[in-house]
Amino acid sequence: MTRVWQWNRPVTVREVLEDLQQERSIAYTTVMTVMDNLHQKGWVRREAEGRAYRYTAVSTRAAYSAALMNEAWSTSDNPAAALVAFFGMMSQEQREALRDAVRIVGHDDEAPAEPATGAAPPPPASAPSPAVAAEGAGEAEGAGEAAEAAGAEGDTGERPPEPGR
């Protein structure tokens, strides 16, 4: 997914392959299998172009990272303790980024009970299970590397796929 996210445009298997081959030896069929797995899992969509497909990310890298964090946190038997431990691992810069994020989201104690405009607050974004993308990547030799290589960050404006799809 790294390449798809980085390039933020539709990509072909051949483009991803050629980029990966600058770093290591990898087979076309490995990249093709990983891209197909990502499509089947709902992480990329594809459109036919001649005899090839062009693949586009369905969600952003940020949404994927958020889903990873949400899944890890939600599986804890003590979510508050998990958060305390997580915050304890953060660098000063990460804690500052967290404070900024909380301000942006507006979920601090000083937020008004009702939005000033009278409009309803936006619904929380649902996040996909991060295991979904990783699961399909391990099905072929070298697939983990190809999955990492296949994507990067780009906002498509779409929601991530539902868990289990």
Side-chain angles (χ1 to χ4, degrees), residues 72-92:
W73 183 52
S74 66
T75 60
S76 173
D77 60 348
N78 187 342
L83 283 175
V84 169
F86 178 65
F87 297 156
M89 294 177 198
M90 293 177 134
S91 68
Q92 181 62 34

Side-chain angles (χ1 to χ4, degrees), residues 107-112:
H107 289 158
D108 56 21
D109 291 336
E110 298 172 17

Side-chain angles (χ1 to χ4, degrees), residues 56-162:
T56 307
V58 169
S59 81
T60 66
R61 183 178 218 147
Y64 176 76
S65 296
L68 280 174
M69 291 185 285
N70 187 55
E71 182 175 325
W73 183 52
S74 66
T75 60
S76 173
D77 60 348
N78 187 342
L83 283 175
V84 169
F86 178 65
F87 297 156
M89 294 177 198
M90 293 177 134
S91 68
Q92 181 62 34
E93 293 81 21
Q94 290 170 321
R95 285 191 300 274
E96 289 171 10
L98 177 62
R99 281 186 207 100
D100 291 342
V102 169
R103 270 188 237 112
I104 290 168
V105 172
H107 289 158
D108 56 21
D109 291 336
E110 298 172 17
E114 295 181 19
T117 62
S126 65
S129 167
V132 169
E135 180 182 312
E139 295 177 14
E141 182 179 330
E145 294 171 346
E148 174 185 305
E153 190 156 4
D155 190 350
T156 62
E158 294 186 23
R159 284 190 152 176
E162 294 295 321

Side-chain angles (χ1 to χ4, degrees), residues 2 11 15 29 37 41 45 60 63 78 97 110 120 128 130 138-139 142 146:
T2 300
V11 300
E15 290 172 313
T29 54
N37 288 341
K41 300 291 184 179
R45 75 174 154 268
T60 66
N78 187 342
E110 298 172 17
E139 295 177 14

Side-chain angles (χ1 to χ4, degrees), residues 1-20:
M1 284 297 303
T2 300
R3 296 316 194 269
V4 176
W5 281 323
Q6 281 175 344
W7 295 337
N8 194 23
R9 63 172 174 79
V11 300
T12 64
V13 170
R14 176 72 54 200
E15 290 172 313
V16 174
L17 173 72
E18 289 172 359
D19 197 53
L20 287 172

